[in-house]
Amino acid sequence: MTTSLIRIAAALLLGPDGRTLLVRKRGTRAFMQPGGKIEAHEQPVQALARELEEELGLRIDPAQARHLGVFSAQAANEPGFTVQAEVFLLSIDAPVSPAAEIEEVCWIDPAGDSDLLLAPLTGEVILPFYRATCLATC
């Protein structure tokens, strides 16, 4: 069986207290990094800026986004699909509120375990990467 690929741009958003923001889309259970699909005409960081504004009312300076890499995992809400994410690290000190398809936002300690149901990309890939490589250096 061939697995289909979904290309997205996602953010590891860090607040002033070091916690990271996760979102849950309407009608789903798993929390994940904010972000979304990259349109054919967009660079990943441009897609991220657009998605953050649409989903959270958050305006970012794309030049401040630090590219962490490209990460893949099983898609949380699309069975049989793999999500491939261009992930960017951003520090923010601005309020966010759920908009568009986002139903809930939650700030968590990225260094600790969470009781939340996490999307595979978040729980198995991005947060472990952050713990292993960024906590001391990012």
Side-chain angles (χ1 to χ4, degrees):
M1 180 173 149
T2 303
T3 302
S4 296
L5 190 66
I6 302 169
R7 289 188 62 239
I8 68 166
L12 183 60
L13 294 177
L14 297 178
D17 61 359
R19 293 185 303 158
T20 189
L21 182 78
L22 300 180
V23 300
R24 185 177 58 78
K25 293 182 179 180
R26 191 168 287 106
T28 67
R29 296 178 37 233
F31 282 83
M32 60 190 66
Q33 265 44 63
K37 293 179 182 165
I38 301 169
E39 302 293 336
H41 66 281
E42 290 179 309
Q43 293 298 314
V45 74
Q46 293 170 326
L48 181 66
R50 176 183 51 77
E51 289 285 346
L52 292 176
E53 187 169 0
E54 290 173 4
E55 295 180 347
L56 301 170
L58 180 64
R59 289 185 175 211
I60 65 158
D61 176 358
Q64 298 300 311
R66 178 176 166 205
H67 189 255
L68 294 178
V70 179
F71 303 92
S72 298
Q74 176 184 355
N77 301 314
E78 293 90 359
F81 284 78
T82 295
V83 64
Q84 181 183 68
E86 298 268 356
V87 179
F88 296 87
L89 179 67
L90 280 158
S91 294
I92 64 167
D93 190 11
V96 297
S97 57
E101 71 269 16
I102 303 303
E103 186 165 338
E104 187 177 359
V105 298
C106 182
W107 290 95
I108 67 160
D109 179 355
D113 291 326
S114 171
D115 292 336
L116 298 173
L117 174 63
L118 301 178
L121 183 66
T122 295
E124 299 169 12
V125 181
I126 295 174
L127 292 180
F129 171 83
Y130 177 75
R131 290 178 194 124
T133 62
C134 289
L135 273 176
T137 61
C138 289

